Amino acid sequence: MILIYDLIGAHVAGEQRDAFDHMRALGVQWSRHEAQPIADQIVFYDCAAVPAELPGFVRAPRSRGT
């Protein structure tokens, strides 16, 4: 599973932790990540142990064609 962490959304929501610390606190495990500075996002790849409820600024990408 891929998850996208919106850095601006996290800031607006008042999140003080950095994205990596916050994802660890949620219990998410990932194999690699890729910063997307132009979009103010971090993409986490091969995510496991993803909780059913995620903050609004953490999302799975939409599938192509939708």
Side-chain angles (χ1 to χ4, degrees):
M1 170 181 252
I2 296 172
L3 291 176
I4 299 172
Y5 191 102
D6 178 1
L7 296 165
I8 298 297
H11 175 75
V12 169
E15 181 55 52
Q16 299 293 316
R17 295 170 284 193
D18 93 352
F20 303 100
D21 289 341
H22 189 204
M23 292 294 272
R24 283 186 202 100
L26 290 170
V28 177
Q29 301 166 356
W30 62 91
S31 66
R32 65 186 179 95
H33 68 276
E34 180 179 327
Q36 303 274 318
I38 198 162
D40 289 317
Q41 299 174 339
I42 300 175
V43 181
F44 292 88
Y45 294 94
D46 303 319
C47 294
V50 177
E53 296 282 329
L54 290 169
F57 49 85
V58 179
R59 65 177 178 80
R62 286 187 242 161
S63 60
R64 296 182 190 263
T66 59

